[in-house]
Amino acid sequence: MTAVGPSAGDGGKKKSARRLPGQGLVEGLGVTLRTMFEGAVTVQYPHEKEEPPTRARGVIALKEENCTVCMLCARSCPDWCIYIEGHKEARPPRRAGGRERSVSVLDRFDIDFALCMYCGICVEVCPFDALFWSPEFEYSEGSIAKLLHDKRKLGDWMEVVPESEPLEVGAEIKAK
Amino acid sequence: MSTTDRPVATRPSAVVPEIEVDPGAFRHLADAQMNVELDTGDMVLNLGPQHPATHGTLRLVVRLDGERVLAADPVIGYMHRGYEKLTEYRPYPQIITLINRIDWLSSFANEVPFVHAAERLMGIEAPPRAVYIRTILTELSRIATFILFLGEMGLQVGAMTPAFFGFRDREHVLNVIEGATGGRFHPNFNRVGGLKDDLPWGWIAECRRTMDIVFKSCDDFEDLLMGNEIFEARTRSIGIIPADVGTSYGVSGSNIRASGVDWDLRRDGDAYLAYRDVDFKVWTHPDGDSYARYWVRLQETRESARMVLQLLDAIPAGPIMAKVPRVIKVPEGECWVETENPLGQMGYYLVSKGSTGPFRTKIRSASFSNVSILPWLLQGVYIPDIITILASLYFILGDIDR
Amino acid sequence: MTHLLAVDIGWGWTLAIKTVVVLGLIPLGALILGYTFLLKMMSHMQSRLGPMDPGGFHGWFQLVGDGMKFLQKEDIMPEQADRRVFALAPAVVVISTFLIFVVIPTGPRLVVKDLDVGVFYALAVSSLSIIGVLMAGWASANKFALLGALRAAAQLIAYELPLLLAVVGVVVQAGTMNLNGIVTAQQNGAIFGWDGLGNPYILTQFVGFALFLVAAQAELTQTPFDMPVAESELVSGYMVEYTGFRFLFFFIGEFGTAFAFAALAATLVLGGWALPGVHGGTADLLGPLVLFVKLMAVAFLIFWVRFTYPRLREDQLQAMAWKYLIPIALANILVTGLFKVWL
Ligand code: SF4
Ligand code: SF4
């Protein structure tokens, strides 16, 4: 056995450089045999499900009433996979005698999840808290075109958006 | 067992060895005149671009005499995605998510040098807590990359089981990364000036538990693969990179440390992240062969796990974001930032003209330089050794082609 | 077999029945080994479960389903291929497997052909498969396939000798080359005068057994000697161009041969079909079962090694065979001979 380098001895698990011939072969067999009795780590997917972490970026949910059609998300998406259309509508004034308001109404809000690279920039830039991440991941489709989801579908995912979780010790609570 | 009698280890001239082969090498075959019709000359074999051992789309044109390699020529660029050009058209936040995809196994480590370059030009510094979390996540991505390597290498030399162990144990590390950043592979967690979020509750304990798994996993690999006599026979004195040849080709990272060059940017480069506060050892091995590269990576995995444990203990409290403007504009200037990434030295040369995106970015990725030594290294080895050498150099196609 | 049925039927029928039984045994053996070891044992050794759904119980139907899938697949032949040779090659491999089964006894009378040179015959026909492999590699018109086939041929030279020499010890000790004779010798033998267990040769011939396993591993082209297929180097070696039922033939050949070799090893050193104190008709009934249990134990060893070790290089295999295996085998024969003469 050749030398194992100047730094051998204190890093490796095995302290002794001298080993019996064939020892490595036997140890290898030992590892596989032990693993066999340790049980599997497989999660049998459709039958049981893994719980993704709360922060997992699974799918983007849209809270339609918060959206002001500002287009910020569509503009900052790196692969331009958000399609937004909207129009202005006149609404009666809030208080009697007030001015008539003009409100932006969302006509179309589609995200093409076939293009989306799950970067989260859209969720981050939205100034009106209209977009959220959900760890939901089961929305695969048979055809790639079906991955373009409209605002109704995105709105449905609002139900699976988790509560914001507590932070680790030492974190500073962001003043919002 | 036997060693290959590779041609003398002199450094070839500046040109890459030509694929053309001296016909004199086959004179003895031609003289034999055993088979006049059959061409007994050399055979050109295309390894890749779709070959299980090339980690993607590297193509190796090898000229063979029997199983012996006379010349090998790597052909790259099948996965060129034009990141350098892309950065000129995108604002900084988008670039961070794009360069994630360069070395996709350790995405977080890709983000760090770029963000550093931007921060340096803007003259801001991330708060200490952010720096610590960045360091931890960088080391975690290093562990994830290396654990996969430790298993993958087994697969390339013919043992299937270690590969599954690699995937199995890496999953724990990825889960920890996902728990903090939300992305298993592409965290996109760095922001110019800090981090996107703080750590979630319970993450530190989870991370500690995972480090135990990492230590155990390293022991498994040592017993299952590295201690195995067959593995040693396959890797010892295969693909020896002498220190001077390696450095002149620009080989970096664990590959060059396995050749006995004691050089690690975490310790020797400009101070970056929290490495000055951590007590760690830079592992080297004098042999420079495939076994040495495996050995060094195995030790570095353990070392990284130890570093993570130290950092978790010392993580300071405080904010995670420095004060930055809402729209990031980097003032005019240029800078070079290099870091020690899992695959080696990674650097960004950033030129800014004061707009929301860089004017020009040069990306120095480790794998590109690491595979550039292949034509030199592969002369005279056998076909199985090609695979061993490719596996032990450990490159990521995205990191070569960018 | 005719004895067992206690009816006297013509030799033609006997032959037909025997052929059908053996032909049925090959895919069945391949299926059992493939399922138990390839799908289940390997998965568990790798912390996985393997297929769980097909067929309900632990995915037992998976391989049958795979086989049916292969049958439905398009039969693709490379344009440059030597068509007839290409088509014939898988059959040659399976025929070699078939021929081994002919001599393996599963009971005192349950054997297709009780050859006097059974051991010799079995080892001789087992290396026929290499011709099929060479044919496949050559006819595929593919460089990877050709390299794989040539490796297989080179490998043959390296392991065939130790394989034969390893068995010689057993033959010397039993004093016969007849497989049934070897089984009976073990059944009726005694360990230092105590005959409670007979005398399974694994006790005296463990060196020979170990050598046999190593060489058999090479014969079966299994890791650590799977250079002819070498997934990570030659993609799949000589099988790379095969699809559909021709590939299925190779698969069956591979596992069928593993089944046969395990049976052979069990017969040679573990006492084959014999249980201590079981003779005659009972042995004929119990024999197949006993042999099956023993061969599964041997197969476990073979596959355990396969799923644990990396692959050697071709030249390293040669070096190992000539420098270690053959001298050890010779020494083993010598020692066995000395004991035989003096004890
Ligand atoms: S996550 Fe990224 S890629 Fe996907 S829609 Fe949002 S901004 Fe676009
Ligand atoms: S950024 Fe928010 S508010 Fe603006 S369009 Fe997008 S979702 Fe609507």
Side-chain angles (χ1 to χ4, degrees), chain A residues 60 76-79 81-82 111 116-123 133:
Chain A
I60 300 166
S76 44
C77 171
D79 40 9
C81 64
I82 306 180
I111 296 183
C116 173
M117 46 193 216
Y118 299 87
C119 62
I121 292 180
C122 52
V123 178
W133 276 115

Side-chain angles (χ1 to χ4, degrees), chain B residues 3-7 63 67-72 238 374-383 385-386 389, chain C residues 313:
Chain B
T3 59
T4 56
D5 34 341
R6 203 160 44 76
R63 197 166 277 256
E67 289 228 8
R68 182 162 291 223
V69 178
L70 296 167
I238 300 299
L374 280 179
W376 185 87
L377 197 56
L378 291 182
Q379 282 175 54
V381 302
Y382 294 107
I383 293 180
D385 299 338
I386 301 181
I389 291 170
Chain C
R313 221 168 44 204

Side-chain angles (χ1 to χ4, degrees), chain B residues 44 51 67 157 161 168 233, chain C residues 47 143 151 233 307 311 316:
Chain B
V44 176
H51 184 277
E67 289 228 8
V157 295
T161 307
R168 178 192 71 187
Chain C
S47 299
K143 288 171 184 168
R151 279 184 183 188
E233 301 157 18
F307 302 141
R311 174 189 316 126
Q316 289 166 343

Side-chain angles (χ1 to χ4, degrees), chain B residues 2 44-46 51-53 67 155-159 161 164-165 168 228 230 233-234 238 383-385 387, chain C residues 42 45-48 143-144 147 151 223-224 231-235 307-313 315-316:
Chain B
S2 69
V44 176
L45 189 70
N46 244 319
H51 184 277
E67 289 228 8
L155 188 65
Q156 305 299 350
V157 295
T161 307
F164 284 97
F165 284 12
R168 178 192 71 187
N228 193 310
I230 300 175
R234 281 297 305 278
I238 300 299
I383 293 180
D385 299 338
I387 313 300
Chain C
M42 178 169 87
M45 283 189 167
Q46 297 167 348
S47 299
R48 302 183 287 130
K143 288 171 184 168
F144 287 107
L147 277 173
R151 279 184 183 188
T223 337
E231 193 67 42
S232 57
E233 301 157 18
L234 301 183
V235 195
F307 302 141
T308 304
Y309 290 160
R311 174 189 316 126
L312 273 170
R313 221 168 44 204
D315 57 316
Q316 289 166 343

